[in-house]
Amino acid sequence: MLRLTNNFRTLYIAGDILNSNPHLLNSQSVRWRKPRWVPKAKSKIFRVPPRLVLPEDERIELMRLNANYKTQMKSIRKYLFDKYSNLNATEADPETQRKEFEEDFARCMEINNKWNDEQRVLREKRVAEELEAELDFARKAVELKTEKQIEQLETVEEIVRREKELSKSYILPENIDAAIEHALANPVDYNFAVNLNGEKVTGFEKEDKDKQRASVIQ
Amino acid sequence: MPYKYIGRTTDFKGKTLWEILGNLKNFGVGRIVARGMFERYPEPSYIKVLKVETLATPETVTPDDVRKVRVWVERTFRGKAFPNPIILESASYKADYKLIPKDEEEAYCRTTVKEEAKVYPKSFDFPPLMKELILRDIRAEGGNTKEELKLEIVYNKASKRTKYRIAEDGEKPNVEIVMGFGKPASPSLYEGIKL
């Protein structure tokens, strides 16, 4: 029903055109087929159309006719193309063409040069700015590096000074005998306790050894 | 249970190229493979495998692309060997290849049909009305209308290399091509009709 009304509408519009334009007297705009954007009918979704099977003699005759038609049309098309492209080529005067081309080229060059000049001013400014920025960056980098080097040097100096201080108490071949004697003369007992008065109480190690010896003898 | 095929039928008959080569020793290098579609011609058409390369998974996976493989082959089409090896990749997914067994290779590749070299005419007549128009133009320009008008024929460039050549000046072609309806290939279709 919808389709029918649609078609009536089409016919109605066509009628309007017909009334206004006598050349379209015989034209009739009725589209019975579905438009492209309407999906496939539900009843047709799973339909598999049968393959076309042509008898052999018909097949070869159709092939011959198609091949003939294509050859003839190609030949005619090429002939006409060559003929009219040649005609057009001869119509134009090469001298005028060259002159036109040169004028056009000169005009283009003028515009191009103008653009180039504008661009050159911009480019030079930009390049100068970029150079200045790079120089700044480099100067800052040098400064930073120098500061860091000085800092490092100071740290090293500090280490050397400390080591020199310490080296006074080093045991060397010259004073090794004195050091040994000093060590033997002053035995250090780390196994000590601290009493309530804050005094060191030593002598534990000796007692332990005596006890051990006693247990071995028993 | 037997297979039951649904949907549209196809003219292809066989396997994809990878289905064949992937199962062969050394990927079938040196073997002969034929396309089912080319068996319609009387002359033999086949390919000889030279080198096989697999392909990476394509960016957009489609049923065709995932079945493709790159194969260097020596192609013989309708009994004529191509001068250089070709790369077969875009058509390798078609399930239309068949492997020729080794003992049948020689018989399959033998060219039995000996065809005389076809010589095609260089030109034919103009269509009648067009001819009249051209003659009128020539007359209007005061040219010579006695000269015979001939339209140069445009042939397919690709098959010209292998299938035929065009008659030189003065040579007689052995194939007839005419402007117009021509001679029917199956006269039985036109019985009782005046051509």
Side-chain angles (χ1 to χ4, degrees):
Chain A
M1 191 62 208
L2 183 71
R3 193 167 68 175
L4 272 181
T5 48
N6 270 342
N7 287 324
F8 276 131
R9 198 181 303 148
T10 327
L11 277 177
Y12 180 69
I13 294 164
D16 266 8
I17 299 167
L18 287 187
N19 290 340
S20 58
N21 191 343
H23 295 294
L24 295 172
L25 258 181
N26 292 325
S27 79
Q28 196 180 18
S29 142
V30 183
R31 192 178 56 203
W32 294 111
R33 202 191 176 281
K34 74 168 182 64
R36 289 286 299 172
W37 56 88
V38 173
K40 206 170 177 178
K42 274 186 178 175
S43 58
K44 298 275 193 284
I45 284 176
F46 299 108
R47 196 181 70 93
V48 178
R51 289 284 284 273
L52 178 70
V53 182
L54 281 177
E56 184 58 18
D57 54 348
E58 256 183 58
R59 193 186 65 81
I60 56 170
E61 177 63 9
L62 280 175
M63 267 181 72
R64 182 191 76 87
L65 287 174
N66 272 315
N68 255 10
Y69 175 78
K70 281 184 203 158
T71 310
Q72 290 166 9
M73 286 310 288
K74 263 191 294 185
S75 306
I76 292 171
R77 205 174 291 130
K78 181 166 181 294
Y79 168 80
L80 292 173
F81 179 84
D82 288 351
K83 186 180 171 187
Y84 287 103
S85 59
N86 284 341
L87 269 183
N88 290 337
T90 47
E91 264 172 17
D93 178 24
E95 193 59 33
T96 336
Q97 265 186 334
R98 197 173 59 80
K99 208 176 164 189
E100 271 175 15
F101 171 76
E102 274 169 10
E103 276 170 14
D104 185 50
F105 186 75
R107 204 176 66 250
C108 290
M109 271 308 271
E110 201 180 313
I111 296 169
N112 190 33
N113 287 341
K114 203 177 120 202
W115 287 347
N116 279 349
D117 288 342
E118 284 169 12
Q119 285 299 319
R120 186 165 51 241
V121 175
L122 291 175
R123 186 175 61 242
E124 277 164 6
K125 194 180 158 213
R126 178 176 53 79
V127 168
E129 277 171 7
E130 275 175 6
L131 183 68
E132 192 53 39
E134 272 183 29
L135 283 174
D136 266 359
F137 180 78
R139 273 187 218 113
K140 268 183 193 163
V142 168
E143 215 170 283
L144 273 176
K145 206 170 181 185
T146 328
E147 266 176 31
K148 211 174 176 184
Q149 272 177 349
I150 291 168
E151 216 169 273
Q152 269 181 349
L153 207 61
E154 274 172 11
T155 328
V156 170
E157 287 287 332
E158 173 65 26
I159 293 167
V160 169
R161 200 185 49 73
R162 208 168 56 231
E163 286 300 316
K164 271 183 182 166
E165 194 83 10
L166 284 173
S167 70
K168 285 173 189 164
S169 61
Y170 284 176
I171 299 168
L172 298 168
E174 294 90 61
N175 60 2
I176 191 161
D177 294 333
I180 292 169
E181 270 169 28
H182 181 258
L184 287 174
N186 303 297
V188 182
D189 185 6
Y190 293 102
N191 193 11
F192 61 86
V194 180
N195 64 12
L196 284 174
N197 301 328
E199 292 163 354
K200 277 186 184 177
V201 181
T202 51
F204 296 105
E205 208 173 325
K206 209 181 165 204
E207 281 173 18
D208 283 353
K209 277 180 182 168
D210 289 348
K211 273 184 188 170
Q212 276 175 10
R213 201 173 294 144
S215 62
V216 171
I217 292 163
Q218 279 170 4
Chain B
M1 203 178 134
Y3 287 114
K4 186 174 163 60
Y5 292 107
I6 57 164
R8 296 184 188 220
T9 53
T10 175
D11 286 335
F12 283 176
K13 187 169 174 282
K15 295 178 176 180
T16 66
L17 205 49
W18 175 246
E19 276 178 303
I20 293 171
L21 301 179
N23 282 324
L24 290 174
K25 191 167 81 176
N26 199 12
F27 295 123
V29 169
R31 297 295 299 268
I32 304 280
V33 179
R35 259 301 283 279
M37 204 51 108
F38 298 153
E39 291 194 329
R40 64 171 101 169
Y41 302 116
E43 307 91 345
S45 307
Y46 52 89
I47 52 174
K48 188 179 177 188
V49 181
L50 300 178
K51 184 184 163 191
V52 182
E53 223 176 56
T54 50
L55 296 169
T57 312
E59 277 177 19
T60 48
V61 174
T62 61
D64 288 347
D65 281 347
V66 292
R67 305 205 288 174
K68 281 182 184 175
V69 64
R70 189 179 292 145
V71 188
W72 280 256
V73 295
E74 270 177 12
R75 169 176 275 176
T76 304
F77 181 66
R78 300 195 69 176
K80 282 215 170 188
F82 281 36
N84 298 320
I86 60 157
I87 300 174
L88 200 66
E89 182 184 329
S90 57
S92 62
Y93 72 93
K94 299 189 178 191
D96 195 29
Y97 293 93
K98 73 167 187 183
L99 180 71
I100 308 300
K102 272 187 179 172
D103 58 329
E104 290 172 23
E105 274 176 9
E106 201 202 345
Y108 190 89
C109 302
R110 200 183 300 132
T111 313
T112 47
V113 186
K114 274 277 172 192
E115 235 182 52
E116 198 188 342
K118 284 181 180 173
V119 183
Y120 275 54
K122 196 179 177 187
S123 58
F124 53 22
D125 289 330
F126 275 97
L129 183 59
M130 194 174 174
K131 191 175 180 180
E132 285 306 313
L133 287 170
I134 294 167
L135 281 174
R136 199 173 68 180
D137 283 354
I138 295 172
R139 264 186 232 113
E141 284 172 10
N144 179 16
T145 53
K146 294 266 173 66
E147 212 174 280
E148 203 179 2
L149 279 176
K150 283 285 182 188
L151 175 60
E152 197 184 332
I153 308 179
V154 179
Y155 289 108
N156 181 353
K157 278 178 195 159
S159 51
K160 198 153 61 178
R161 275 205 309 275
T162 53
K163 290 300 295 170
Y164 55 84
R165 63 188 179 81
I166 293 164
E168 310 279 330
D169 285 338
E171 193 182 1
K172 200 169 182 262
N174 57 13
V175 180
E176 196 190 23
I177 289 192
V178 291
M179 176 59 81
F181 185 73
K183 199 175 142 198
S186 324
S188 58
L189 296 174
Y190 300 96
E191 265 171 25
I193 300 168
K194 199 180 167 193
L195 294 176

